[in-house]
Amino acid sequence: LGSNRAPPCLIGTTWSTTTAGTTRPGTRDNSKQARVIAMLKRAEGATITQICEATGWLGHSVRGTFSGTLKKKLGLAITSSKTDGSERTYRITTN
């Protein structure tokens, strides 16, 4: 108590400034999270299976990252679409 040290969960976290001037966690360029974001920004988007293969995560971890980290913490808008006979595809949409 009373220490000026960062808690272990925040060590190595980068912070970026939003347009409102508040700070939020950023993403390291070489992280799995950055890889997922890059995949979702592609024109064709990405499926859960593709992201699992790229990161080594299980499907529930990918969906949790969408919900918790990408949507809630980073404020990204993620849309999904599904055509007949294909897997659901997810994309980051720009506002």
Side-chain angles (χ1 to χ4, degrees):
L1 235 59
S3 173
N4 289 331
R5 298 175 66 193
C9 63
L10 295 179
I11 293 175
T13 301
T14 58
W15 297 87
S16 60
T17 304
T18 63
T19 55
T22 60
T23 56
R24 66 177 185 199
T27 302
R28 292 187 320 262
D29 292 336
N30 61 348
S31 67
K32 289 181 182 180
Q33 180 177 311
R35 203 175 320 155
V36 170
I37 291 171
M39 292 176 76
L40 295 173
K41 284 185 175 180
R42 299 181 307 192
E44 68 272 16
T47 64
I48 297 286
T49 302
Q50 291 170 335
I51 294 171
C52 288
E53 289 171 359
T55 60
W57 295 342
L58 297 176
H60 68 275
S61 299
V62 174
R63 289 186 292 278
T65 299
F66 287 177
S67 173
T69 304
L70 302 184
K71 287 183 176 181
K72 292 178 184 173
K73 289 184 181 176
L74 297 179
L76 299 173
I78 299 176
T79 59
S80 69
S81 60
K82 182 170 173 35
T83 57
D84 291 336
S86 70
E87 217 177 327
R88 183 168 297 277
T89 303
Y90 297 86
R91 291 176 186 80
I92 291 178
T93 55
T94 56
N95 297 340

